[in-house]
Amino acid sequence: MGAALLKERENQVHVKGEKPFNLVCNKDSLAGAVSQRACVFCGSRVVLYPIADALHLVHGPIGCAVYTWDIRGALSSGPELHRLSFSTDLQEMDVIFGGEKKLRRALLELIARHSPKAAFVYSTCIVGIIGDDLEAVCKAVAAETGIPVIPVQSEGFKGNKRAGYQAACEAMFRLIGTGKTAGISKYSLNILGDFNLAGEIWMVREYYERMGIQVVANITGDGRVDDICRAHGAALNVVQCSGSTMQLAKMMEEKYGTPAIRVSYFGIEDMSETLYDIARFFKKQYPDDPETDRIMERTKALVQEKVRDLVPKLEKYRKALAGKKAAIYVGGSFKAFSLVKAFRLIDMQVVMVGSQTGTEEDYRELEAITDPGTVIVDDANPLELNSFLKEKGVDVFVGGVKERPIAYKLGIGFCDHNHERKEALAGFEGMLNFAKEVYSSVMSPVWRFVPRKEQASASFSA
Ligand code: SF4
């Protein structure tokens, strides 16, 4: 392996076709390797953040709140309380004598000032160390104020980002089942794991509405507490970004019998398949109900209309980008599947793909859909990514806020497919935006003035 790859990490990198697949993943990051992963608290914060009419209070030092301030950029069609980052700003004396009183005061003041529908209180590293009883404080404040006040057990040190997703799902699960389900259609669903980063949940909701399916709750993009409270009344959970919300879907299936399907809204192929899967689900549930045939008819009409409109528009980008190389590094690997297919649609070659929190099943699927020679990497660090990008001669790197500087320092185009994106990249319209964004980045004249760094001399072949 190349010089940038630490010996202890060799089994977390696989080059397709070089040896049998045996990638190790889902383990703690190697100490000192400077993982691209975020902490547990950050994991829970990104999942719950888009619940727009809830109060989000970070119980910890101010740095934790700053780190995750407005982290998702998730859009709301109404209240925007989620965009404010509140913190108890724990200081030395609080660490010595405990922060419970301060937390109670902060909650009472903020609830009186902002009248939220619910409050989430995030535990951070220091709170886990000093042992503040969040549960007791939240319970007392909930009784005093009459709104749900929910602790999120997300001490930063207790695992990796996945543990944060779990803490967020457990917190949300306390709300589910507390609302009334009257008026919910038997053709209904909850959208899980779309965070409405650039208004995408509105596009997807429109597709469902055109199909004749009611959306009960957005979990969590453009989320509302009341909708989440009645989410158990929906017939189906449709889970994108399964790493972050699949746990919630499993808990709902166990307690309320709500089935779940995994979907992706990225790329023409996956977006179409998602809509057909949902139409098929209702047909299977109610085979004799003619409404299910109508749902299928409406789905076909919708997909045909969108694809007919989109394919000719993609042609210009496909021609210009054919043969260019792409690398992908994302939080959860489910998104990576769709990106591999989306790049294929515009004739680009994916030469590296990795994620922070992929499972063995995810990586096996990635191995199956990528081309020979593709580097597949779990829990990478900046040095490794840097080396892979140079080694493979990448033209565009797709990632999030922490990957952007790696690309730019190398003189490589970058496409933000994470928290900070401002362009909708999901849905049919999103595929066109994606092609446009990749095109603008790869073909930008700026690269004449910022030449690409030389290819790495070290090889990543085993
Ligand atoms: S919870 Fe811990 S690891 Fe996470 S930002 Fe705060 S101090 Fe850092």
Side-chain angles (χ1 to χ4, degrees):
M1 291 280 178
L5 190 57
L6 296 163
K7 187 153 184 49
E8 296 90 331
R9 287 215 8 95
E10 280 179 7
N11 56 11
Q12 284 176 271
V13 178
H14 173 76
V15 182
K16 177 165 175 177
E18 291 205 340
K19 53 187 176 188
F21 181 85
N22 193 21
L23 189 94
V24 173
C25 60
N26 209 2
K27 60 180 232 175
D28 287 346
S29 302
L30 179 67
V34 199
S35 166
Q36 298 287 93
R37 280 175 175 166
C39 73
V40 176
F41 156 67
C42 181
S44 64
R45 190 85 174 89
V46 294
V47 174
L48 296 172
Y49 168 91
I51 305 175
D53 55 355
L55 176 80
H56 300 267
L57 174 60
V58 181
H59 187 37
I62 196 68
C64 304
V66 171
Y67 169 44
T68 55
W69 176 52
D70 213 13
I71 189 164
R72 271 286 188 204
L75 300 182
S76 166
S77 54
E80 292 205 314
L81 186 54
H82 66 305
R83 301 199 60 197
L84 301 178
S85 194
F86 299 110
S87 167
T88 49
D89 185 19
L90 290 184
Q91 305 282 329
E92 203 173 315
M93 295 304 267
D94 305 313
V95 172
I96 297 166
F97 295 108
E100 290 176 13
K101 286 185 188 147
K102 198 174 190 183
L103 172 61
R104 183 176 174 280
R105 280 200 308 275
L107 276 169
L108 291 176
E109 183 187 332
L110 289 167
I111 292 169
R113 189 180 292 182
H114 295 285
S115 309
K117 291 277 188 179
F120 292 101
V121 179
Y122 301 81
S123 181
T124 55
C125 286
I126 196 65
V127 171
I129 293 167
I130 64 177
D132 278 356
D133 190 347
L134 250 62
E135 191 73 55
V137 177
C138 290
K139 199 170 161 194
V141 175
E144 214 170 312
T145 58
I147 65 160
V149 181
I150 301 168
V152 186
Q153 302 295 353
S154 53
E155 299 80 14
F157 58 74
K158 76 175 187 188
N160 63 38
K161 203 175 172 187
R162 284 185 90 84
Y165 297 157
Q166 170 86 22
C169 290
E170 281 165 9
M172 251 187 301
F173 194 57
R174 290 180 177 217
L175 285 176
I176 292 169
T178 60
K180 294 197 172 70
T181 56
I184 295 180
S185 158
K186 63 179 182 176
Y187 303 111
S188 58
L189 54 80
N190 298 313
I191 301 175
L192 275 72
D194 187 284
F195 299 99
N196 205 35
L197 297 183
E200 289 146 322
I201 221 164
W202 301 329
M203 287 157 49
V204 172
R205 278 186 73 118
E206 196 192 313
Y207 301 158
Y208 292 144
E209 277 154 23
R210 280 186 63 179
M211 288 163 67
I213 293 166
Q214 181 188 4
V215 178
V216 178
N218 304 334
I219 303 174
T220 59
D222 196 15
R224 296 291 181 277
V225 172
D226 286 348
D227 293 343
I228 295 171
C229 291
R230 68 200 295 258
H232 60 296
L236 176 67
N237 279 330
V238 176
V239 189
Q240 188 184 233
C241 187
S242 55
S244 60
T245 48
M246 191 45 119
Q247 196 54 38
L248 181 68
K250 281 185 186 152
M251 288 191 270
M252 286 179 71
E253 184 150 25
E254 226 167 79
K255 185 160 177 189
Y256 302 106
T258 318
I261 55 171
R262 274 173 73 159
V263 302
S264 169
Y265 302 132
F266 297 111
I268 298 183
E269 209 179 322
D270 285 356
M271 185 67 244
S272 308
E273 206 44 40
T274 293
L275 302 182
Y276 283 127
D277 277 352
I278 292 166
R280 278 186 221 114
F281 167 84
F282 286 111
K283 180 73 200 160
K284 206 169 158 199
Q285 291 287 105
Y286 308 107
D288 303 324
D289 187 339
E291 177 59 13
T292 58
D293 296 323
R294 289 195 282 272
I295 289 176
M296 185 54 88
E297 284 312 310
R298 290 194 285 259
T299 307
K300 276 185 195 160
L302 171 67
V303 171
Q304 279 168 9
E305 175 198 307
K306 296 286 181 186
V307 174
R308 205 180 302 126
D309 179 55
L310 182 58
V311 170
K313 290 180 183 162
L314 282 176
E315 199 48 25
K316 164 186 162 190
Y317 304 105
R318 197 187 59 75
K319 275 190 185 141
L321 294 168
K324 302 279 185 198
K325 291 178 183 170
I328 301 165
Y329 192 76
V330 284
S333 54
F334 200 61
K335 194 196 288 177
F337 305 149
S338 303
L339 283 168
V340 170
K341 292 180 208 165
F343 274 120
R344 204 162 272 153
L345 199 67
I346 47 176
D347 277 355
M348 285 183 67
Q349 192 194 355
V350 173
V351 290
M352 188 214 92
V353 56
S355 80
Q356 295 174 24
T357 56
T359 61
E360 188 187 331
E361 189 192 351
D362 294 334
Y363 289 121
R364 279 195 186 281
E365 191 165 336
L366 273 180
E367 215 241 355
I369 63 171
T370 47
D371 297 325
T374 305
V375 175
I376 300 171
V377 57
D378 174 62
D379 186 21
N381 58 54
L383 266 185
E384 285 172 13
L385 292 173
N386 190 68
S387 303
F388 292 140
L389 295 178
K390 286 202 286 187
E391 157 90 8
K392 291 289 185 180
V394 166
D395 296 290
V396 70
F397 187 24
V398 181
V401 64
K402 284 176 283 186
E403 286 77 40
R404 183 194 299 271
I406 298 174
Y408 287 162
K409 279 180 193 169
L410 293 173
I412 289 173
F414 181 76
C415 172
D416 193 330
H417 212 289
N418 212 340
H419 306 178
E420 295 202 325
R421 70 174 186 256
K422 301 288 177 248
E423 280 285 353
L425 299 180
F428 298 103
E429 296 82 354
M431 180 64 218
L432 184 61
N433 290 340
F434 176 69
K436 276 185 196 165
E437 194 161 321
V438 170
Y439 173 86
S440 325
S441 192
V442 170
M443 312 306 272
S444 170
V446 77
W447 305 125
R448 278 186 240 143
F449 307 104
V450 188
R452 196 163 293 173
K453 294 273 176 351
E454 284 172 18
Q455 304 283 301
S457 50
S459 164
F460 284 92
S461 311

